């Protein structure tokens, strides 16, 4: 909402008020603004008179003008405008003038001819070309013949106005009008809002002889129609044009401008019909599905049953609250005008305007209209048409009114006000704050009773009044304190807390946390979709790239990797924890919390010592195992090769299993997806955080010595070391306290389809010192078992 | 006095031997030569048996003196040689400490998660519980029960990603307000924060992101006022932007709070005198807040005549951008490792 100082001063004395200061004060009562500007910032411009004009001797388009700039002075100005002419009153920017854009006018010589200033167009004064007539867009502006020579042209034109562009909150429909703004500004300056009565000088005949209205929908609770005849279509007076321009509306002609002018004043949108296109009737109804109307912008619109339309005897002539129809438009041939002032259902207008067009009118209908203003506005429009369009006013008005207005009375106690605001206001202070807003309040029996005026649609409950009191009294001297409550310990949800600990652990293991978008493209939801879940698609996505809710985090991690590699950030060790969403078989939305990691490149290195650990399957396996051990799942997980997603390397990948349940995957990304050696894991956090784990208990340190034995088996190449380890553990029982692999060998002395795997076994007993004989018993048994079950031989014998 | 002469002779020889010793082997050799089983001093001792008690006494004394002389001198040499040996070894182990270190990989926390972590710690210390809620949320919880009926004009400002007509990606963590109140039907006073992802149908640019993080705060009890809200937010603002910061409430409108306030913090760049960061106003808008709207309380089963509450919503990216001077919100989601690694350290503190 753009607020013009001149427009405002019709209703409130704001002389002597700095608009910059006002804007700052309005912020503190909740009205933010974008800018404070002068309508024209041009300085040192006067009204001049073109006495003489001749062609520039050295140019085919410049004119050399002798311009009278005051009673005593004629000066020479070179002007390039095609429409400059002898006998015109013009706007002259004198040397020293500053035009918008910080353009300074200086004396000069143009192709040999002296030029002492500039004859200006309105555009050069800073008026946006969208507000200008074709003539004004293409040349200088000719003033009225009676403009006094030498006076300040900016004030003569009425451009000495200031405008605050407010960004209002959506509840303050009342501020979408100059009158509403006057009440609001009055709360700061404490003056008085005055609305003058408009007295129509002459009314003739009877509207009932001209028009009837039928409202056949409950979506139009109030419809008022009036009529004027014999309008003279012409340009609006300057003040109307200027105020429209200041308010951001393009002047068109006096009749159209009056409808906009009144809307700006009262916040009530009006619609003017060319009466002769109505066939004496106005019908208001809901549109039929697929009914068509050509709107003022010459576009044919297909309607739905939720659009409200205004019709003549045959067809729709206006899309109610949004835009008029071409078939009833007021144009230069219009003589008789029917005027509509109505209230349409805000939900329906919103729907229609969402589909078709947002306009100044629809914006106001959506936010709500004060029905009292509807009556005032239509009277105002008729008054202005009589005055500025020479209209003959027809007596009477047609009214359809189904509004059941109840006086809004709100009661609130002083205690409640103070306890919410944390202040210690007195009765007088509350009354004073409210009266600044022109809200009448009385105080009886320990409570305030406030009679809410109809213009304040936003005030309904006591909390609204508390807010108004705080807003106007000011709340920034409240002393902050902390809530006094019965002490409650702060806490985290358990799973959330555990996830935080996992994140810390992953960081200490060298992985950097990343954060990527939930929304992704079709390609990404199909990749690594482990359980082939049904992805969720948005109803109206912004782009193909952000259309689906992701079903896995790995593609996002690959994107981060590619982004970094493209920027030469090598060695990528990253992870992310996030939710994924999908439909289950019954189309219910399901959520899963995942944590995924990706590694590629050098894990640790010392380059000059030529030592490095490259991130490979075993590094990532170590990271994952570390996390699982950290969660207390030691000895309960397993890496198992069975069905794997096709995006993983078939021979360098595994499923992660805990207590027989799949909880994730780990492996190398398939070369069809990426060139490098990239390894990823994904763990289902919901699952792993819900596994029952015993709490930590002390374990006595074994004080008896341990005995270490090495053994190397020659095995078929396909035999998995993990399976051998499992068998050894099972055979050895509790005496075996540790087992490791210390060598893998293929080549000389080993069959080409065999390999040697060397194990280190540590035995101990926490009740006594083991003897070698005892250990050898176990050891021999182990050797026999492995030989038998895996077709193994001992390497060293 | 043959024996005495022998002692003198041995001593002379001993002095000469000791002077010649220059390594640990030499030390061992002379130890054997003098003190070994067949050593010179041992031999002398064997001669004792042949002497009269009188002589024994003198002789014993001389031998002891000789032994002592030997031991103390050899010990000194031994120690000197050991130290020389260690020094030689150390000298051989000299390294260039200016060579680059071994690169030990450590990961880091994403900067916006770092902010969330810090906020959580702060609010947990004030007795808040951290709760989470679903990102795919029902229209009912995201809008309707927050006093935003369908077609409410305030829904304009947060164009949403709908999945069906009744479900959407939540546009605000305020949805958790509703869930928390509904879950707390014994109506105990409660204080919660809810950090999480939120989504709005904005095109991504330097200051807009279709996905961003919010942290909702909510306190509901029988008596709580704007002063409590202010005090709580002051704790947050001072912790995050410096002890000298002050805040101001600017009346505003949110459907789920009444009264509603935008909260501005005094500019931490210029201190409030005006600079480009605060657009010469001295204030920077930091979050939205207010007293919970009675319609919201009532819809969630809390009698608004009895209970009051305050709520606030902090935009995490905004706080991070202001705190660290980040100009492009997309930096958080492109995850350039150079950007991320900059945040992998402790704050400098207020010293």
């Amino acid at each position: 909402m753009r607020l013009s100082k001149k427009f405002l001063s019709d209703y409130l004395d704001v002389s002597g008020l700095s608009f910059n200061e006002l804007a700052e004060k309005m912020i503190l009562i909740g009205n933010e603004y974008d800018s404070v500007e002068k309508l024209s910032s041009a300085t040192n411009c006067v009204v001049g008179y073109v006495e003489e004009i001749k062609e520039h001797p050295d140019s085919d388009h410049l004119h050399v003008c002798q311009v009278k700039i005051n009673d005593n002075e004629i000066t020479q100005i070179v002007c390039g405008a095609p429409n400059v002419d002898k006998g015109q009153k013009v706007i002259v920017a004198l040397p020293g003038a500053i035009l918008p854009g910080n353009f300074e006018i200086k004396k000069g010589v143009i192709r040999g001819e002296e030029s002492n200033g500039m004859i200006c167009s309105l555009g050069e004064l800073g008026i946006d070309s969208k507000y200008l007539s074709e003539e004004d867009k293409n040349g200088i502006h000719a003033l009225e013949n009676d403009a006094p020579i030498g006076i300040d042209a900016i004030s003569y034109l009425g451009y000495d106005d200031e405008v605050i562009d407010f960004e209002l909150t959506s509840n303050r429909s009342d501020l979408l009008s100059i009158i509403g703004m006057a009440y609001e500004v009055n709360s700061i300056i404490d003056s008085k809002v005055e609305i003058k009565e408009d007295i129509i000088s002459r009314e003739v005949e009877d509207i009932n002889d001209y028009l009837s209205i039928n409202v056949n929908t409950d979506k139009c609770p109030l419809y008022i129609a009036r009529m004027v005849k014999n309008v003279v279509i012409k340009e609006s007076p300057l003040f109307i044009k200027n105020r429209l321009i200041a308010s951001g509306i393009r002047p068109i002609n006096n009749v159209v401008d009056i409808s906009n002018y009144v809307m700006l004043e009262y916040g009530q949108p009006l619609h003017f019909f060319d009466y002769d296109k109505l066939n004496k009737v106005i019908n208001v109804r809901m549109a039929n599905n697929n009914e068509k109307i050509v709107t003022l912008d010459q576009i044919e619109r297909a309607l739905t049953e939720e659009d409200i339309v205004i019709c003549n005897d045959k067809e729709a002539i206006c899309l109610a609250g949004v835009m008029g129809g071409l078939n009833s438009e007021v144009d230069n041939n219009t003589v008789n005008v029917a005027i509509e002032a109505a209230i349409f259902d805000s939900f329906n207008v919103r729907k229609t305007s969402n589909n078709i067009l947002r306009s100044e009118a629809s914006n106001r209908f959506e936010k709500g209209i004060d029905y009292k203003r509807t009556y005032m506005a239509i009277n105002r429009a008729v008054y202005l048409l009589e005055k500025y369009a020479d209209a003959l006013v027809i007596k009477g008005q047609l009214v359809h009114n189904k509004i059941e207005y109840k006086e809004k009375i709100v009661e609130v106690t002083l205690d409640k006000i103070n306890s919410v605001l944390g202040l210690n206001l007195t009765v007088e202070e509350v009354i004073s704050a409210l009266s600044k807003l022109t809200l009448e309040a009385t105080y009886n029996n320990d409570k305030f009773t406030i009679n809410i005026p109809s213009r304040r649609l936003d005030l309904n409950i006591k909390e609204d009044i508390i807010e108004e009191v705080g807003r106007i009294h000011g709340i920034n001297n409240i002393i902050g304190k902390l809530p006094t409550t019965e002490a409650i310990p702060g806490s985290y949800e358990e799973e959330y807390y555990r996830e935080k600990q996992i994140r810390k652990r992953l960081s200490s293991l060298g992985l950097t946390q990343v954060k990527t978008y939930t929304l992704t493209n079709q390609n990404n939801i199909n990749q690594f979709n482990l359980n082939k879940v049904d992805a969720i698609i948005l109803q109206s996505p912004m782009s193909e790239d952000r259309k689906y809710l992701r079903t896995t985090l790995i593609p996002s991690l690959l994107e981060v990797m590619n982004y970094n590699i493209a920027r030469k950030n090598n060695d990528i060790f990253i992870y992310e924890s996030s939710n994924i969403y999908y439909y289950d078989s019954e189309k219910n939305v399901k959520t899963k919390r995942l944590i995924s990691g990706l590694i590629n490149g050098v894990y640790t290195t010392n380059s000059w010592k030529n030592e490095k650990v490259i991130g490979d399957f075993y590094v990532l396996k170590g990271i994952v195992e570390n996390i699982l051990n950290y969660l207390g799942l030691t000895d309960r997980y397993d890496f198992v090769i069975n069905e794997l997603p096709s995006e993983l390397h078939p021979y360098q990948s595994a499923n992660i299993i805990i207590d027989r349940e799949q909880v994730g995957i780990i492996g190398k990304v398939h070369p069809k997806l990426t060139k490098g050696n990239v390894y990823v894991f994904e763990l289902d956090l919901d699952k792993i955080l819900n596994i029952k784990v015993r709490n930590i208990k002390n374990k006595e340190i074994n004080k008896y010595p341990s005995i270490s034995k090495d053994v190397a088996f020659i095995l078929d190449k396909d035999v998995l070391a993990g399976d051998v380890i499992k068998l050894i553990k099972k055979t050895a029982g509790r005496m075996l306290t540790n087992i490791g692999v210390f060598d893998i060998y293929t080549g000389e002395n080993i069959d080409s389809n065999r390999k040697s795997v060397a194990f280190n076994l540590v035995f101990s007993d926490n009740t006594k010192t083991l003897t070698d004989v005892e250990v050898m018993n176990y050891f021999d048994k182990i050797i026999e078992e492995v030989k038998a079950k895996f077709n193994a031989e001992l390497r060293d014998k | 006095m043959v024996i005495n002469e022998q002692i003198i002779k041995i001593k002379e020889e001993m002095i000469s031997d000791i002077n010649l010793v220059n390594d640990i082997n030499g030390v061992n050799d002379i130890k054997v030569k003098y003190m070994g089983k067949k050593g010179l001093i041992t031999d002398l001792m064997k001669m004792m048996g042949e002497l009269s008690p009188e002589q024994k006494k003198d002789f014993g004394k001389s031998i002891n003196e000789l032994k002592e002389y030997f031991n103390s001198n050899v010990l000194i040499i031994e120690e000197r040689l050991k130290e020389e040996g260690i020094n030689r070894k150390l000298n051989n182990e000299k390294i260039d400490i200016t060579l680059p270190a071994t690169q030990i990989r450590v990961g880091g926390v994403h900067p916006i998660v770092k902010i969330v972590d810090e906020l959580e710690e702060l609010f947990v210390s004030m007795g808040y519980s951290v709760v989470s809620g679903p990102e795919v949320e029902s229209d009912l919880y995201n809008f309707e029960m927050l006093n935003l009926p369908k077609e409410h004009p305030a829904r304009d400002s947060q164009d949403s990603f709908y999945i069906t007509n009744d479900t959407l990606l939540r546009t605000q963590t305020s949805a958790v307000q509703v869930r928390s109140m509904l879950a707390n039907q014994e109506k105990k006073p409660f204080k919660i924060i809810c950090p999480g992802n939120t989504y709005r149908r904005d095109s991504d640019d330097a200051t807009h992101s279709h996905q961003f993080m919010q942290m909702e705060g909510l306190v509901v009890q029988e008596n709580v006022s704007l002063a409590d809200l202010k005090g709580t937010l002051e704790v947050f603002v001072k912790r995050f932007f410096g002890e000298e910061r002050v805040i101001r409430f600017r009346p505003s409108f949110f459907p789920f709070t009444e009264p509603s306030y935008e909260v501005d913090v005094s500019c931490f760049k210029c201190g409030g005198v005006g600079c480009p960061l605060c657009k010469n106003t001295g204030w920077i808008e930091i979050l939205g807040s207010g007293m919970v709207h009675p319609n919201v309380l009532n819809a969630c089963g809390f009698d608004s005549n009895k209970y009051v509450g305050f709520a606030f919503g902090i935009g995490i990216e905004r706080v991070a951008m202001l705190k660290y001077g980040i100009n492009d919100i997309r930096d958080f989601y492109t995850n350039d490792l150079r950007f991320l690694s900059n945040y992998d350290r402790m704050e400098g503190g207020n010293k």
Side-chain angles (χ1 to χ4, degrees), chain A residues 144-187:
Chain A
E144 298 294 321
N145 288 332
D146 59 359
I149 295 166
I151 67 160
D152 185 89
I154 300 300
S155 57
Y156 174 77
L157 282 163
Y159 290 168
D160 53 341
D161 195 5
E162 290 175 279
V163 182
I164 308 176
D165 189 1
F166 283 106
E167 220 175 80
L168 299 169
T169 55
S170 60
N171 58 328
R172 293 302 301 274
S173 57
D174 61 310
L175 297 186
L176 295 172
S177 64
I178 298 295
I179 295 174
M181 273 292 180
Y183 283 111
E184 187 80 352
V185 172
N186 187 46
S187 75

Side-chain angles (χ1 to χ4, degrees), chain B residues 41-153:
Chain B
I41 294 175
T42 319
D43 283 351
L44 281 175
M45 309 257 281
K46 286 177 188 160
M47 292 164 76
M48 293 256 279
E50 297 159 23
L51 298 175
S52 67
E54 189 82 346
Q55 287 172 314
K56 257 185 196 167
K57 197 180 160 196
D58 285 350
F59 184 61
K61 198 179 162 205
S62 299
I63 288 184
N64 277 339
E65 278 169 11
L66 187 61
K67 267 167 124 177
E68 203 159 295
Y69 178 82
F70 179 84
N71 282 340
S72 59
N73 279 284
V74 168
L75 191 68
I76 290 167
I77 292 168
E78 226 178 349
E79 298 220 319
R80 195 191 73 223
L81 286 173
K82 268 191 199 159
E83 193 170 320
E84 280 172 9
I86 288 169
N87 286 340
R88 235 184 344 265
K89 189 164 183 279
L90 291 175
N91 196 41
N92 289 337
E93 289 172 355
K94 188 174 184 177
I95 63 163
D96 178 355
I97 53 95
T98 64
L99 276 170
T102 299
Q103 301 294 303
I104 299 163
R105 184 165 293 282
V106 199
V109 173
H110 192 280
I112 51 179
V113 179
K114 190 185 170 87
I115 297 278
V116 171
D117 283 347
E118 288 172 19
L119 282 167
E120 284 174 354
E121 273 170 39
L122 178 64
F123 280 97
V124 166
S125 77
M126 293 194 281
Y128 286 69
S129 296
V130 183
V131 299
S132 49
E135 293 168 36
V136 175
E137 187 53 280
S138 66
D139 188 274
L140 184 69
Y141 288 175
N142 192 76
F143 287 128
E144 286 198 38
M145 289 182 77
L146 288 170
N147 202 26
L148 269 151
K150 284 208 161 77
E151 309 298 329
H152 191 291

Side-chain angles (χ1 to χ4, degrees), chain A residues 24 27-32 169-171 347 350-351 354 358 366-367 416 418-422 461-467 470-471 475-486 488-493 496 500 503 506-519 536-542 546 549-550 560 563-564 567 569-575 578-579 581 583 589 591 593 602-606 608-609 611, chain B residues 99-110 112-113 116-117 120-121 124 126-132 134-136 149-156 160-165 169 189-191 195 197 199-204 209-211 213 219 221 223-232 234-235 247-253 258-262 281 285 291 293-295 304-305 308 310 330 332-338 340:
Chain A
E24 291 308 316
I27 279 192
L28 292 178
I29 60 167
N31 303 303
E32 283 189 70
T169 55
S170 60
N171 58 328
F347 292 178
R350 189 176 140 87
K351 276 222 165 96
N354 269 340
R358 321 222 78 170
E366 283 173 33
K367 293 187 171 136
K416 177 73 180 173
N418 280 327
S419 77
V420 171
L421 295 179
I461 54 176
K462 56 179 175 288
E463 284 74 9
D464 296 325
I465 296 301
I466 295 170
E467 176 169 59
R471 214 161 63 83
I475 28 87
N476 281 312
N477 40 10
I478 298 177
I479 308 290
K481 66 183 188 69
L482 292 181
T484 43
T485 5
E486 147 193 350
I488 335 164
S491 67
Y492 293 93
E493 289 169 330
Y496 184 78
K500 272 169 100 93
R503 288 198 267 111
L506 276 171
S507 292
S508 68
L509 288 165
L511 269 58
T512 293
Q513 186 183 30
V514 298
K515 192 154 173 52
T516 59
Y517 296 129
T518 299
L519 293 173
I536 296 172
I537 183 167
L538 295 179
Q539 272 187 344
S540 48
M542 288 196 302
R546 308 265 171 251
L549 276 67
R550 62 181 166 182
V560 171
Y563 179 91
N564 277 288
R567 282 154 189 81
N569 300 333
N570 298 321
D571 305 328
I572 320 285
F573 288 74
I574 53 176
Y575 77 94
S578 188
N579 289 345
Y581 299 90
Y583 288 122
V589 175
T591 305
R593 188 91 188 150
V602 178
Y603 187 50
T604 59
T605 178
N606 186 311
W608 55 269
K609 287 207 288 187
E611 293 171 349
Chain B
L99 276 170
T102 299
Q103 301 294 303
I104 299 163
R105 184 165 293 282
V106 199
V109 173
H110 192 280
I112 51 179
V113 179
V116 171
D117 283 347
E120 284 174 354
E121 273 170 39
V124 166
M126 293 194 281
Y128 286 69
S129 296
V130 183
V131 299
S132 49
E135 293 168 36
V136 175
K150 284 208 161 77
E151 309 298 329
H152 191 291
R155 285 196 184 192
D156 276 357
S160 325
F161 288 116
Y162 274 91
I163 289 163
T164 66
N165 290 339
L169 288 172
F190 68 99
K191 301 194 271 193
N197 293 331
Y199 305 83
R200 289 186 199 174
R201 240 174 142 278
D202 269 331
S203 294
D204 295 337
S209 182
H210 74 276
Q211 178 178 335
M213 284 196 87
V219 173
Q221 57 185 54
N223 51 9
V224 69
S225 76
L226 211 51
D228 300 303
L229 173 61
K230 186 174 185 185
T232 302
E234 278 170 347
V235 171
I247 60 173
R248 76 170 181 189
F249 282 129
R250 201 152 34 73
S252 188
F253 172 70
E258 184 73 42
S260 304
Y261 298 97
E262 298 274 10
T281 62
E285 184 178 319
M291 305 303 290
H293 196 289
N295 289 359
S304 64
N305 289 317
V308 271
F310 66 69
R330 291 169 294 197
F332 293 117
Y333 292 93
T334 44
N335 298 288
D336 189 308
L337 293 173
R338 292 166 296 182
L340 297 179

